Amino acid sequence: MPDYFRPSVTVDVAVFAPEAGTLKLLLIQRGHDPFAGAWALPGGFIEPDETLEASARRELQEETGLQVGSLTPVATFGDPGRDPRGRTLTVLFLALLANVPVVSGQDDASDAAWFALDALPPLAFDHDRVIAAAIADLRAQAANHHPHGPLSQAEQALLS
């Protein structure tokens, strides 16, 4: 078999929830290098026998204690240099919750917290770009919401 280049594969999870008329995003504070102390989306490396979605669910629960229902794959990011440990591709998953649940930093996350989209802290890796893609996807979903039902609180927050 030829020797093909083998980048690492990770998953990231953008979890959004409405609170007091605004949309919040769940972030974790990294406990280890690279970017120790910086804020990032929950996520990490896939395990050899996991599906991408199973990996996203595991990482989210390990780092925040949160379990979610629906997870939607949104985009893949893989530009060279996005991770100082080497070439890494990440698959972004999105979850939209009905309210903001209690979370806590666990495993390799020293903290977990909800942030308003207009008050995000400095982010690790290329997560500013990854989060922008998640927000764009959510806005597109809200704008295309079928006209016969009322917009959810989260959709109203997105479009305001």
Side-chain angles (χ1 to χ4, degrees), residues 9-15 26-28 30 32 40-48 50-68 71 85 90-91 93 103-109 111-112 125 127:
V9 179
T10 63
V11 290
D12 288 312
V13 186
V15 182
L26 176 60
L27 297 175
I28 57 108
R30 292 184 53 81
H32 304 290
L41 292 168
F45 291 94
I46 65 169
E47 296 291 335
E50 285 182 313
T51 65
L52 292 168
E53 183 175 330
S55 181
R57 289 181 184 286
R58 175 185 52 79
E59 285 289 342
L60 181 62
Q61 184 174 14
E62 285 178 359
E63 293 182 340
T64 69
L66 185 62
Q67 294 182 356
V68 296
L71 272 180
R85 296 169 290 194
T90 196
V91 178
F93 285 85
V103 294
S104 63
Q106 301 174 27
D107 192 38
D108 58 350
D111 197 5
F125 305 103
H127 284 194

Side-chain angles (χ1 to χ4, degrees), residues 135-152:
I135 293 168
D137 187 81
L138 268 182
R139 285 194 171 128
Q141 287 182 38
N144 292 327
H145 190 272
H146 63 83
H148 302 295
L151 291 177
S152 70

Side-chain angles (χ1 to χ4, degrees), residues 16-18 21-24 94 96 117 131 134-143 151-160:
F16 296 93
T22 187
L23 202 59
K24 300 274 182 112
L94 186 143
L96 182 58
L117 296 183
I131 290 166
I135 293 168
D137 187 81
L138 268 182
R139 285 194 171 128
Q141 287 182 38
L151 291 177
S152 70
Q153 186 181 17
E155 291 169 327
Q156 290 173 21
L158 264 173
L159 294 175
S160 60

